[in-house]
């Protein structure tokens, strides 16, 4: 490894952009992180979060050695131990638990704090399959929308984002792209400059993205499907649909035409809070502009009806035949193009047909407090559930359980790690070898170790190999090197887009685009092979077969809908413990409409308490016009810093969305008062 010079890297964060990076090294340390100007999509642009990444990599708070708890649960008192002692403690406890309670008493909990395919779903999956542990349904992020989109389109396939520079109308629907998909904004602005493209944003708050849009449309939370149906109503009514495309490429357009008659602009306006005039304006703009592109965000699918929202909005481009235009169509997620061989990587065969139970990660609190047989040990890695999981008070109560053996593997002593019995130090992604597959652009990328591990930290792959050895597992699956695992993952005959792409090529070239062909060159992977405006499969699964507006579940008699969204300078809870990133973000704020603030006697800058039956949260009010009356919005998953009560997930429901077991973070009702 060279001690000086510039090395290639990939951003490992859970962000669709997956930027190419250059790391500048001096005496073995990274001194500067910048965008790789040669990356075909991201072209040297990166966000401020990662430009400041050295503050995180070399933060003095980084964990450098394994530790065991010496204080009370959650007190955060630990003593240094060796890796040998750590692995021995964990595996002997687990062996004992397997004897007394069975392997299902052990539950893994992880998400995509590192998007590397090996870090997130490699040796860990092999290990827990072999162990026969309870399985985790990883549903916290985007599953409801993924399932909804699949009903319409057959899989996670949208357009090539590079083509969006040709779009003439770009609708950012429930996506705070300026913060969460920066590269899409770069392309949208290019489209605006080159072809006078209009950027429209539909959101419940006027955030950074709303401010750069040509037209910001505020909408009431959880009502977007109604707006999409109102647009369809006008498109059919005014003959703005593409009859040829509908006949050739869709099923159910006649049923849909009849069905949307009920969604009159007047009724839709009542539901959504969007004026009749604006509904007409938007529908006519959409019906008369080609190519038009909808970037479907994650926000509206974090509601009770989120799956149906995505299913519905995904029908729109078909009505006007946009999919055949360069730069026309939609993206929800493009992960289908880069689908790797999960069987090879995760080895579900190691489960040997054991019927182990599956636990939805959105209901971690219940799983820890009430599951039968109980969860006796939780192993958390690449995630921070004490802050990010819904109904957080239940989660933290579960983590406090005296008889829960909790192991946490992370780079920092997170809120979750504070409750641990054993804490293990993790490398950062720049210290490992891993494969990266974006869920927005269509490039595969590779990371090779750019610096030596900090302290005694180890990667997820290494730790699970050690745990396998400690458990006495002798399967060859636990011997594979990172390079071998990447080769196995890429060997996916089920995905023609990856054909001919090998580890060696990636190691040499750094990034390779999948072999993309036009989406409609073949049949779509839906049952009919066409876009399913009417879906027999949905009917079989107990959903209305046609796109439908379904109101949010009653969450109690509180006057406000509460939307605790992400912020600009953190990534979920990552960076929320870094001084640099906190100083950029300043402080958490509760956005409240001035009418509501006035009625409640709240002034800008006042400390307020928001509460419901799940908990409460104290925060400073930001009074203005950024949100509609009746809506409260916060930004960011702030760490539980000393003396603060900023944990917004204390208030969020752990109800399950309409599809895929998805999360409903944005469907809580709350009340607010001045402190
Ligand atoms: N800076 C930054 N970038 C991130 C993240 C981060 O935390 N910070 N998180 C990453 C992850 S894991 C993900 S999943 C993505 C998420 O990124 P996005 O896809 O942008 O999703 P969110 O930011 O959750 O929500 C987007 C917007 O939806 C709005 N919204 C909420 N409810 C509704 C509704 O009912 N209707 C409409 N129209 N809008 C609604 C919110 O106000 C918010 O502005 O971003 C990734 N990138
Ligand atoms: N209120 C509210 N809650 C939300 C959301 C919201 O919009 N609002 N968004 C939800 C969404 S979309 C998501 S995806 C989840 C995300 O929730 P999480 O997946 O928990 O994401 P992070 O908070 O970023 O935590 C990731 C952790 O992994 C650690 N880590 C990073 N790399 C590695 C590694 O290689 N190995 C190990 N062992 N650890 C590593 C980091 O230090 C960090 O502590 O949050 C959800 N929670
Ligand atoms: S967080 Fe997103 S925008 Fe920032 S560098 Fe990483 S991939 Fe790029
Ligand atoms: Mo996410």
């Amino acid at each position: 490894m060279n001690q000086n010079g510039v090395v290639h890297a990939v951003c490992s964060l859970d962000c669709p952009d997956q930027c190419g990076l250059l790391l500048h090294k001096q005496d073995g340390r990274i001194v500067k992180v910048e965008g790789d100007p040669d990356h075909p999509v991201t072209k040297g642009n990166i966000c401020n979060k990662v430009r400041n990444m050295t503050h995180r990599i070399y933060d003095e708070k980084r964990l450098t050695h394994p530790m065991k708890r010496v204080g009370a649960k959650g007190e955060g008192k630990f003593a240094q131990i060796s890796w040998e002692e750590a692995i021995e403690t964990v595996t002997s406890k687990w062996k004992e638990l397997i004897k007394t309670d069975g392997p299902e008493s052990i539950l893994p909990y992880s998400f995509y704090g590192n998007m590397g395919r090996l870090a997130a779903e490699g040796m860990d999956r092999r290990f827990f399959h072999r162990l026969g542990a309870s399985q985790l349904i990883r549903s916290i992020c985007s599953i409801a929308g993924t399932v909804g989109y699949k009903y319409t389109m057959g899989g996670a396939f949208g357009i090539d984002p590079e083509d969006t520079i040709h779009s003439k109308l770009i609708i950012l629907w429930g996506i705070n792209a300026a913060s969460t998909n920066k590269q899409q904004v770069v392309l949208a602005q290019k489209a605006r400059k080159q072809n006078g493209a209009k950027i429209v944003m539909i959101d419940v708050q006027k955030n950074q993205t709303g401010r750069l849009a040509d037209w910001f449309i505020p909408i009431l939370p959880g009502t977007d499907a109604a707006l999409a149906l109102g647009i369809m109503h006008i498109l059919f009514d005014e003959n703005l649909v593409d009859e040829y495309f509908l006949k050739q490429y869709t099923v159910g357009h006649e049923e849909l035409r009849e069905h949307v008659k009920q969604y009159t602009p007047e009724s839709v306006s009542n539901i959504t809070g969007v004026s009749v005039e604006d509904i007409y304006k938007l529908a006519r703009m959409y019906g008369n502009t080609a190519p038009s592109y909808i970037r479907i965000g994650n926000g509206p699918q974090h509601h009770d009806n989120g799956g149906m929202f995505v299913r519905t909005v995904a029908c729109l481009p078909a009505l006007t035949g946009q999919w055949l235009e360069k730069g026309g169509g939609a993206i929800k997620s493009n992960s289908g193009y880069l689908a790797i061989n999960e069987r090879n990587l995760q080895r579900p065969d190691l489960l040997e047909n054991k019927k182990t139970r599956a636990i939805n990660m959105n209901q971690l609190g219940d799983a820890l407090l009430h599951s039968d047989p109980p969860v006796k040990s939780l192993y958390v890695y690449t995630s921070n559930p004490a802050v990010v999981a819904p109904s957080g008070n239940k989660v933290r109560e579960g983590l406090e359980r005296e008889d829960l053996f909790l192991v946490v593997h992370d780079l920092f002593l997170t809120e979750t790690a504070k409750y641990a019995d054993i804490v293990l130090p993790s490398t950062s992604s720049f210290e490992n070898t891993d494969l990266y597959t974006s869920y927005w652009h269509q490039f595969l990328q590779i990371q090779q170790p750019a610096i030596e591990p900090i302290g005694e930290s180890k990667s997820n792959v290494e730790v699970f190999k050690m745990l396998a050895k400690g458990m006495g597992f002798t399967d060859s699956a636990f011997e594979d090197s990172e390079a071998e695992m990447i080769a196995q993952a890429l060997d996916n005959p089920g995905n023609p887009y990856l054909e001919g792409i090998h580890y060696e090529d990636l190691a040499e070239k750094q990034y390779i685009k999948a072999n993309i062909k036009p989406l409609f060159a073949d049949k779509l992977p839906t049952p009919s092979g066409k876009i399913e405006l009417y879906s027999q499969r949905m009917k079989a699964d107990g959903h209305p077969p046609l796109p439908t507006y379904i109101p949010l579940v009653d969450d109690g008699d509180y006057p406000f809908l509460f939307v605790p969204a992400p912020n600009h300078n953190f990534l979920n809870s990552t960076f929320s413990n870094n001084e640099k990133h906190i100083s950029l973000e300043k402080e958490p704020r509760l956005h409240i409409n001035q009418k509501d603030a006035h009625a409640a006697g709240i002034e800008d800058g006042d400390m307020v308490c928001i509460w419901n039956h799940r908990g409460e949260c104290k925060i400073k009010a930001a009074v203005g016009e950024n949100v509609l009356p009746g809506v409260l919005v916060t930004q960011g998953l702030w760490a539980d810093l000393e003396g603060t009560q900023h944990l917004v997930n204390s208030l969020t429901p752990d109800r399950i969305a309409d599809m895929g077991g998805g999360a409903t973070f944005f469907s809580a009702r709350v009340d607010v008062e001045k402190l």
Side-chain angles (χ1 to χ4, degrees), residues 115-187:
M115 286 294 290
R117 300 307 293 252
L118 307 190
E121 42 190 63
M123 209 45 98
D124 55 323
R125 307 298 172 100
R126 294 181 183 189
F127 177 81
F128 287 114
H129 285 145
R130 175 66 180 78
L131 195 73
S134 285
Q135 301 196 62
L136 186 74
I137 302 171
R138 290 178 172 82
S139 49
I140 204 166
C141 178
S142 59
I143 189 77
T146 301
V147 173
Y149 190 85
K150 192 172 175 188
Y151 281 130
T152 305
M153 295 295 292
F157 302 103
I159 65 171
D160 185 337
E162 294 175 78
D163 285 345
T164 62
I165 53 167
H166 303 294
S167 312
K168 293 217 171 80
L169 171 62
I170 295 173
I171 302 180
L172 303 172
W173 201 319
I175 183 164
N176 183 8
S179 299
T180 64
N181 189 190
K182 180 189 165 70
Q183 306 291 355
Q184 182 64 75
V185 170
V186 172
L187 297 177

Side-chain angles (χ1 to χ4, degrees), residues 16-151:
D17 295 321
Q18 202 150 96
C19 298
L21 307 177
L22 294 178
L23 309 179
H24 295 252
K25 285 180 69 178
Q26 248 169 41
D27 304 327
R29 275 172 77 92
I30 301 169
V31 291
K32 185 174 156 192
V33 179
E34 62 175 0
D36 176 358
D38 296 328
H39 188 286
V41 185
T42 65
K43 297 191 171 140
N45 291 304
I46 56 167
C47 65
N48 239 346
K49 303 185 286 295
V50 171
R51 211 175 283 288
N52 286 302
M53 190 58 125
T54 50
H55 292 272
R56 176 171 157 87
I57 302 286
Y58 299 112
D59 191 323
E60 58 181 32
K61 294 194 294 293
R62 248 190 89 171
L63 297 171
T64 51
H65 44 74
M67 301 190 294
K68 67 175 177 196
R69 175 167 68 91
V70 291
K73 283 256 175 182
E75 197 186 337
K77 280 203 184 136
F78 297 94
Q80 177 170 351
I81 55 172
S82 67
W83 271 104
E84 290 66 35
E85 184 181 341
I87 298 292
E88 166 58 25
T89 309
V90 177
T91 53
S92 58
K93 179 75 189 174
W94 283 354
K95 283 177 195 163
E96 189 189 308
L97 275 178
I98 289 169
K99 264 196 216 130
T100 53
D101 294 75
E104 279 181 308
S105 63
I106 302 163
L107 175 68
Y109 188 99
S110 74
F111 208 63
Y112 291 85
N114 175 350
M115 286 294 290
R117 300 307 293 252
L118 307 190
E121 42 190 63
M123 209 45 98
D124 55 323
R125 307 298 172 100
R126 294 181 183 189
F127 177 81
F128 287 114
H129 285 145
R130 175 66 180 78
L131 195 73
S134 285
Q135 301 196 62
L136 186 74
I137 302 171
R138 290 178 172 82
S139 49
I140 204 166
C141 178
S142 59
I143 189 77
T146 301
V147 173
Y149 190 85
K150 192 172 175 188
Y151 281 130

